[in-house]
mmCIF file of all heavy atoms in Angstrom:
data_model
loop_
_atom_site.group_PDB
_atom_site.id
_atom_site.type_symbol
_atom_site.label_atom_id
_atom_site.label_comp_id
_atom_site.label_asym_id
_atom_site.label_seq_id
_atom_site.Cartn_x
_atom_site.Cartn_y
_atom_site.Cartn_z
ATOM 1 N N TYR A 31 35.560 124.311 114.169
ATOM 2 C CA TYR A 31 35.967 125.356 113.226
ATOM 3 C C TYR A 31 37.382 125.809 113.540
ATOM 4 O O TYR A 31 37.696 126.171 114.674
ATOM 5 C CB TYR A 31 34.999 126.533 113.346
ATOM 6 C CG TYR A 31 35.146 127.619 112.302
ATOM 7 C CD1 TYR A 31 34.405 127.598 111.126
ATOM 8 C CD2 TYR A 31 36.018 128.697 112.501
ATOM 9 C CE1 TYR A 31 34.527 128.606 110.174
ATOM 10 C CE2 TYR A 31 36.138 129.702 111.561
ATOM 11 C CZ TYR A 31 35.387 129.657 110.396
ATOM 12 O OH TYR A 31 35.507 130.659 109.456
ATOM 13 N N GLN A 37 48.252 138.816 109.664
ATOM 14 C CA GLN A 37 48.039 140.170 110.148
ATOM 15 C C GLN A 37 49.152 141.063 109.639
ATOM 16 O O GLN A 37 50.331 140.838 109.919
ATOM 17 C CB GLN A 37 47.995 140.214 111.683
ATOM 18 C CG GLN A 37 47.667 141.596 112.229
ATOM 19 C CD GLN A 37 47.438 141.597 113.722
ATOM 20 O OE1 GLN A 37 47.907 140.740 114.460
ATOM 21 N NE2 GLN A 37 46.687 142.590 114.187
ATOM 22 N N GLN A 45 41.655 136.410 106.578
ATOM 23 C CA GLN A 45 41.545 134.957 106.669
ATOM 24 C C GLN A 45 42.175 134.301 105.442
ATOM 25 O O GLN A 45 41.871 134.659 104.298
ATOM 26 C CB GLN A 45 40.077 134.555 106.802
ATOM 27 C CG GLN A 45 39.872 133.140 107.302
ATOM 28 C CD GLN A 45 38.413 132.826 107.560
ATOM 29 O OE1 GLN A 45 37.569 133.059 106.706
ATOM 30 N NE2 GLN A 45 38.105 132.307 108.735
ATOM 31 N N ASP A 59 40.068 134.882 102.297
ATOM 32 C CA ASP A 59 40.248 136.026 101.396
ATOM 33 C C ASP A 59 41.589 136.052 100.692
ATOM 34 O O ASP A 59 41.715 136.626 99.618
ATOM 35 C CB ASP A 59 40.071 137.332 102.186
ATOM 36 C CG ASP A 59 38.624 137.567 102.570
ATOM 37 O OD1 ASP A 59 37.746 137.260 101.749
ATOM 38 O OD2 ASP A 59 38.387 138.041 103.692
ATOM 39 N N ARG A 97 31.344 128.175 113.595
ATOM 40 C CA ARG A 97 31.782 129.373 112.877
ATOM 41 C C ARG A 97 31.276 130.646 113.550
ATOM 42 O O ARG A 97 31.874 131.715 113.420
ATOM 43 C CB ARG A 97 31.314 129.335 111.428
ATOM 44 C CG ARG A 97 29.836 129.297 111.265
ATOM 45 C CD ARG A 97 29.423 129.486 109.809
ATOM 46 N NE ARG A 97 27.977 129.587 109.748
ATOM 47 C CZ ARG A 97 27.302 130.685 110.037
ATOM 48 N NH1 ARG A 97 27.944 131.772 110.389
ATOM 49 N NH2 ARG A 97 25.991 130.691 109.977
ATOM 50 N N ASP A 98 30.164 130.576 114.271
ATOM 51 C CA ASP A 98 29.609 131.763 114.915
ATOM 52 C C ASP A 98 29.743 131.662 116.437
ATOM 53 O O ASP A 98 28.779 131.871 117.189
ATOM 54 C CB ASP A 98 28.154 131.986 114.512
ATOM 55 C CG ASP A 98 27.263 130.793 114.810
ATOM 56 O OD1 ASP A 98 27.798 129.728 115.180
ATOM 57 O OD2 ASP A 98 26.033 130.931 114.694
ATOM 58 N N ALA A 101 36.249 132.818 118.922
ATOM 59 C CA ALA A 101 37.475 132.253 118.368
ATOM 60 C C ALA A 101 38.600 132.402 119.371
ATOM 61 O O ALA A 101 38.806 133.479 119.940
ATOM 62 C CB ALA A 101 37.835 132.955 117.059
ATOM 63 N N PHE A 103 42.603 132.260 119.774
ATOM 64 C CA PHE A 103 43.773 132.409 118.907
ATOM 65 C C PHE A 103 45.013 131.773 119.530
ATOM 66 O O PHE A 103 45.185 131.756 120.759
ATOM 67 C CB PHE A 103 44.046 133.889 118.652
ATOM 68 C CG PHE A 103 43.082 134.524 117.689
ATOM 69 C CD1 PHE A 103 41.827 134.928 118.099
ATOM 70 C CD2 PHE A 103 43.437 134.710 116.359
ATOM 71 C CE1 PHE A 103 40.928 135.510 117.204
ATOM 72 C CE2 PHE A 103 42.556 135.299 115.453
ATOM 73 C CZ PHE A 103 41.292 135.693 115.871
ATOM 74 N N TYR B 36 37.021 141.945 118.990
ATOM 75 C CA TYR B 36 38.239 141.412 119.592
ATOM 76 C C TYR B 36 39.157 142.559 119.985
ATOM 77 O O TYR B 36 39.240 143.577 119.316
ATOM 78 C CB TYR B 36 38.969 140.483 118.610
ATOM 79 C CG TYR B 36 38.264 139.164 118.431
ATOM 80 C CD1 TYR B 36 37.217 139.033 117.513
ATOM 81 C CD2 TYR B 36 38.629 138.054 119.179
ATOM 82 C CE1 TYR B 36 36.555 137.839 117.361
ATOM 83 C CE2 TYR B 36 37.966 136.842 119.037
ATOM 84 C CZ TYR B 36 36.929 136.750 118.128
ATOM 85 O OH TYR B 36 36.263 135.557 117.981
ATOM 86 N N GLN B 38 43.179 143.426 120.927
ATOM 87 C CA GLN B 38 44.537 142.916 120.814
ATOM 88 C C GLN B 38 45.500 143.900 121.456
ATOM 89 O O GLN B 38 45.730 144.991 120.931
ATOM 90 C CB GLN B 38 44.926 142.681 119.350
ATOM 91 C CG GLN B 38 46.275 142.000 119.197
ATOM 92 C CD GLN B 38 46.628 141.742 117.752
ATOM 93 O OE1 GLN B 38 46.181 142.442 116.842
ATOM 94 N NE2 GLN B 38 47.444 140.715 117.505
ATOM 95 N N ARG B 43 47.889 138.091 121.420
ATOM 96 C CA ARG B 43 46.915 137.550 120.477
ATOM 97 C C ARG B 43 45.578 138.253 120.663
ATOM 98 O O ARG B 43 45.277 138.749 121.751
ATOM 99 C CB ARG B 43 46.762 136.046 120.705
ATOM 100 C CG ARG B 43 46.052 135.681 122.002
ATOM 101 C CD ARG B 43 46.189 134.212 122.340
ATOM 102 N NE ARG B 43 47.443 133.892 123.006
ATOM 103 C CZ ARG B 43 47.832 132.669 123.328
ATOM 104 N NH1 ARG B 43 47.071 131.638 123.023
ATOM 105 N NH2 ARG B 43 48.966 132.455 123.950
ATOM 106 N N ARG B 51 24.479 138.863 118.318
ATOM 107 C CA ARG B 51 23.868 138.136 117.212
ATOM 108 C C ARG B 51 22.762 138.985 116.603
ATOM 109 O O ARG B 51 22.273 139.916 117.228
ATOM 110 C CB ARG B 51 23.331 136.788 117.702
ATOM 111 C CG ARG B 51 24.449 135.914 118.228
ATOM 112 C CD ARG B 51 24.039 134.530 118.638
ATOM 113 N NE ARG B 51 25.180 133.888 119.300
ATOM 114 C CZ ARG B 51 26.146 133.257 118.657
ATOM 115 N NH1 ARG B 51 26.094 133.149 117.348
ATOM 116 N NH2 ARG B 51 27.154 132.722 119.320
ATOM 117 N N SER B 94 28.591 135.572 107.919
ATOM 118 C CA SER B 94 27.276 135.411 107.305
ATOM 119 C C SER B 94 26.798 133.977 107.426
ATOM 120 O O SER B 94 27.589 133.048 107.481
ATOM 121 C CB SER B 94 27.375 135.814 105.832
ATOM 122 O OG SER B 94 26.243 135.381 105.131
ATOM 123 N N ASP B 95 25.500 133.837 107.425
ATOM 124 C CA ASP B 95 24.913 132.498 107.405
ATOM 125 C C ASP B 95 25.217 131.796 106.092
ATOM 126 O O ASP B 95 25.170 130.579 106.001
ATOM 127 C CB ASP B 95 23.405 132.651 107.577
ATOM 128 C CG ASP B 95 22.820 131.476 108.334
ATOM 129 O OD1 ASP B 95 23.595 130.736 108.967
ATOM 130 O OD2 ASP B 95 21.601 131.288 108.266
ATOM 131 N N GLY B 98 31.264 130.666 105.322
ATOM 132 C CA GLY B 98 31.992 130.232 106.512
ATOM 133 C C GLY B 98 33.101 131.171 106.895
ATOM 134 O O GLY B 98 33.759 130.983 107.902
ATOM 135 N N LYS B 99 33.313 132.211 106.081
ATOM 136 C CA LYS B 99 34.434 133.129 106.323
ATOM 137 C C LYS B 99 34.090 134.168 107.371
ATOM 138 O O LYS B 99 33.063 134.813 107.293
ATOM 139 C CB LYS B 99 34.807 133.863 105.031
ATOM 140 C CG LYS B 99 35.390 132.977 103.962
ATOM 141 C CD LYS B 99 36.014 133.805 102.854
ATOM 142 C CE LYS B 99 34.992 134.474 101.990
ATOM 143 N NZ LYS B 99 35.632 135.171 100.849
ATOM 144 N N GLN B 101 34.923 137.702 108.531
ATOM 145 C CA GLN B 101 35.533 138.888 107.935
ATOM 146 C C GLN B 101 35.810 139.929 109.007
ATOM 147 O O GLN B 101 34.907 140.350 109.721
ATOM 148 C CB GLN B 101 34.577 139.478 106.892
ATOM 149 C CG GLN B 101 35.216 140.469 105.964
ATOM 150 C CD GLN B 101 36.022 139.791 104.876
ATOM 151 O OE1 GLN B 101 35.707 138.679 104.460
ATOM 152 N NE2 GLN B 101 37.066 140.437 104.421
#
Side-chain angles (χ1 to χ4, degrees):
Chain A
Y31 189 92
Q37 184 172 24
Q45 197 174 50
D59 288 322
R97 61 171 186 79
D98 57 351
F103 285 80
Chain B
Y36 287 85
Q38 187 178 27
R43 70 193 83 184
R51 298 184 188 275
S94 166
D95 213 16
K99 293 193 287 185
Q101 195 78 30

